[in-house]
């Protein structure tokens, strides 16, 4: 299976490394070319843009981006993923964003024929490196099961939270409880 991965920051890069360790073919993109070069040395294929990943032969595309505006831009922009990806490719966004943005992007993806899951994570950079993240996943049960083996390469706890956007709802609740316990 070929996976495209966009967003190789503190969380995305170790997640991508774990996909490589699990034996997946991986195409990667990030604005930071040094991180892309390091992953290429580990066996990933470097892409010149998110559009190149979308137009490639990925079966699944995962994004791990800083915030909702980045997610909307990468997916819905003038030359975004949805305009360029072939129907049927599973889209997984692991960014932590608001549930409304997750639902909006997934609705546009569905109109294009692409199933989409929101799958934010908990566990920090240590969990990303160790492959012990918790994924809180929103989307259909069918697409969740399709994504499960991929997510298990990066995480220890893979939890289906219900319909689209509910992964983000669970993440918000998780962050609130964490904040309360820290106070």
């Amino acid at each position: 299976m070929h996976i495209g991965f966009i967003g190789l920051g503190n969380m995305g890069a170790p997640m991508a490394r774990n996909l490589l360790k699990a034996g997946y073919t991986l195409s990667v993109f990030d604005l930071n070319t040094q991180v892309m070069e390091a992953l290429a040395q580990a066996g990933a294929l470097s892409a010149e843009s998110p559009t190149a990943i979308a137009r490639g032969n990925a079966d699944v595309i995962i994004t791990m981006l800083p915030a909702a505006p980045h997610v909307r831009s990468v997916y819905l922009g003038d030359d975004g993923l949805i305009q360029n990806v072939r129907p049927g490719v599973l889209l997984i966004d692991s960014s932590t964003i608001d549930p409304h943005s997750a639902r909006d992007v997934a609705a546009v993806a569905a109109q294009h024929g692409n199933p989409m899951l929101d799958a934010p994570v908990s566990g920090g950079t240590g969990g990303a490196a160790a492959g012990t993240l918790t994924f809180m996943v929103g989307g259909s049960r069918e697409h969740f099961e399709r994504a499960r083996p991929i997510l298990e390469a990066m995480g220890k706890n893979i939890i289906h939270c219900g319909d689209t956007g509910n992964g983000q709802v669970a993440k918000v609740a998780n962050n609130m409880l964490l904040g309360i316990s820290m106070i």
Side-chain angles (χ1 to χ4, degrees), residues 63-150:
T63 51
M64 179 54 113
L65 302 166
H70 303 99
V71 171
R72 286 181 179 275
S73 176
V74 165
Y75 281 94
L76 305 176
D78 290 339
D79 204 20
L81 291 178
I82 292 174
Q83 285 190 6
N84 290 286
V85 69
R86 70 185 185 287
V89 172
L90 176 61
L91 306 173
I92 303 172
D93 180 43
S94 289
S95 313
T96 296
I97 63 173
D98 64 280
H100 297 293
S101 292
R103 290 177 180 133
D104 290 348
V105 173
V108 175
Q111 291 172 354
H112 187 267
N114 295 96
M116 186 165 186
L117 299 171
D118 55 292
V121 299
S122 180
T125 55
T132 59
L133 293 170
T134 294
F135 283 87
M136 295 156 269
V137 185
S140 77
R141 172 64 70 177
E142 172 190 355
H143 299 123
F144 170 76
E145 292 301 334
R146 181 176 164 196
R148 182 191 293 271
I150 297 163

Side-chain angles (χ1 to χ4, degrees), residues 44-61:
L45 306 167
S46 293
E48 61 191 36
S49 67
T51 302
I53 287 180
R55 291 181 179 164
N57 58 355
D59 303 296
V60 175
I61 297 174

